[in-house]
Amino acid sequence: MSRSGWFEPSVPIRVEGGIRVRSKRGSIGERWWSRRFIDILEGVCDPGRLGRGRSYARSGQVLDTELGPGLVTARVQGSRRTPYLVEIRITSYRADQWRELTDALAAQALYRARLLAGEMPPEIEDAFRACRLPLFPGTGDLDMTCSCPDRGSPCKHLSAVLYVLAERFDDDPFLVLAWRGIARDALLDALREAGGTATGSGSGERGPGLFDVDDAPFADRLASFYEPSVSAARLRDRTGLPAPPPDLLLRTLDPPQVKARHIPILDLLRPAYRTFADSDDS
């Protein structure tokens, strides 16, 4: 019985054509960003409701979802004939905040290259953290409502949507960023425009980057082919360059095909490497 005194049958109305998560057992979410999202939720939400939410997500009780800046809406079929309406809100960053973030991402050649290739580098969290704008929600960052009578938060309907959302993140990591307020095309256009160059001091203009060299036909470079395109002075000047990431070794090796609790082993090792680096700095 809910706190409102209304009894809800334990078996939801089965539906055809609902959204079923691919995972049949164990954890939901395969990529590091979706697992990061799920781990946060499972750390702050009631385990019982999350378990019932997984069952709903696996049986296709979520009818549809729609994601926009700062808001996810969905319909979930419960035991009542009318589906429940779910809303999940998160802070959507302003245009000026996204300019700061895209500048920070473009300044890191690795981040920029992998994002332009359609990938989500694990280190992207560091760029967001440096701008004091978290990528993933923390405790209390999600405003969640459901039209069901269950006063618990999240209820099983909300939990089901959260798990479906994690698998949508699996398929398209740019949805994580779109939820924070920037569409994929807008982000990639901003990164292409930034070009990975450094920002001029105080002028707001972009100066030449370390790896910006003039492209010339090979025939015109025969006499100077073996000369470096970048002067030794510029190579010695490492001011403004990022420090080597603590998990650089993990990036250079071929990833082992090993999983723990259905999570790729590299996704578990990276946080440990960062923790070791932080302890060395302290």
Side-chain angles (χ1 to χ4, degrees):
M1 185 176 66
S2 71
R3 294 182 183 180
S4 62
W6 177 76
F7 287 85
E8 181 181 15
S10 58
V11 179
I13 299 173
R14 297 298 178 184
V15 295
E16 295 294 334
I19 303 174
R20 294 175 181 265
V21 297
R22 293 183 294 272
S23 168
K24 302 303 180 184
R25 62 177 63 88
S27 300
I28 294 176
E30 298 179 355
R31 310 300 292 272
W32 76 263
W33 52 87
S34 54
R35 283 304 317 162
R36 180 88 170 85
F37 178 66
I38 288 298
D39 287 344
I40 292 171
L41 297 176
E42 292 181 343
V44 300
C45 297
D46 176 70
R49 288 188 172 89
L50 287 175
R52 292 189 290 274
R54 281 194 297 271
S55 298
Y56 266 52
R58 287 179 172 131
S59 60
Q61 297 303 119
V62 179
L63 302 179
D64 51 44
T65 63
E66 184 174 346
L67 184 147
L71 176 65
V72 169
T73 59
R75 294 183 304 144
V76 182
Q77 181 62 63
S79 54
R80 284 181 171 179
R81 185 174 301 276
T82 302
Y84 297 119
L85 303 180
V86 166
E87 290 188 351
I88 306 171
R89 299 181 183 275
I90 196 173
T91 300
S92 177
Y93 296 140
R94 304 185 307 269
D96 62 309
Q97 292 173 315
W98 270 113
R99 280 194 293 272
E100 180 183 3
L101 285 167
T102 52
D103 283 347
L105 294 172
Q108 304 283 349
L110 176 66
Y111 303 172
R112 180 174 175 271
R114 292 189 63 177
L115 286 166
L116 289 173
E119 302 174 7
M120 179 82 81
E123 303 78 17
I124 192 174
E125 282 192 273
D126 297 334
F128 275 74
R129 194 177 297 112
C131 295
R132 298 185 179 181
L133 298 169
L135 175 58
F136 295 101
T139 304
D141 290 344
L142 293 176
D143 180 13
M144 301 181 287
T145 60
C146 178
S147 61
C148 77
D150 188 347
R151 302 285 181 85
S153 181
C155 62
K156 54 182 173 289
H157 314 106
L158 277 163
S159 299
V161 174
L162 292 170
Y163 283 116
V164 167
L165 190 59
E167 279 212 344
R168 287 193 64 187
F169 291 161
D170 259 348
D171 298 333
D172 184 359
F174 287 91
L175 290 178
V176 179
L177 304 176
W179 200 17
R180 283 295 193 186
I182 191 167
R184 174 191 180 116
D185 290 344
L187 173 64
L188 297 184
D189 287 346
L191 292 176
R192 292 189 188 100
E193 181 181 352
T197 55
T199 303
S201 58
S203 65
E205 298 178 356
R206 298 184 181 275
L210 176 62
F211 300 106
D212 294 337
V213 296
D214 295 330
D215 190 15
F218 178 70
D220 297 343
R221 292 288 312 277
L222 289 176
S224 60
F225 180 73
Y226 291 103
E227 296 179 4
S229 298
V230 179
S231 70
R234 288 183 68 195
L235 288 175
R236 283 195 299 269
D237 182 12
R238 297 184 57 82
T239 57
L241 292 180
D247 58 347
L248 181 61
L249 180 62
L250 298 181
R251 302 187 206 174
T252 59
L253 300 175
D254 292 333
Q257 301 302 311
V258 178
K259 292 185 178 181
R261 297 184 292 113
H262 304 283
I263 305 173
I265 193 67
L266 287 188
D267 290 349
L268 298 173
L269 289 175
R270 286 191 182 97
Y273 272 62
R274 296 195 191 102
T275 301
F276 294 151
D278 291 342
S279 62
D280 289 341
D281 293 339
S282 60

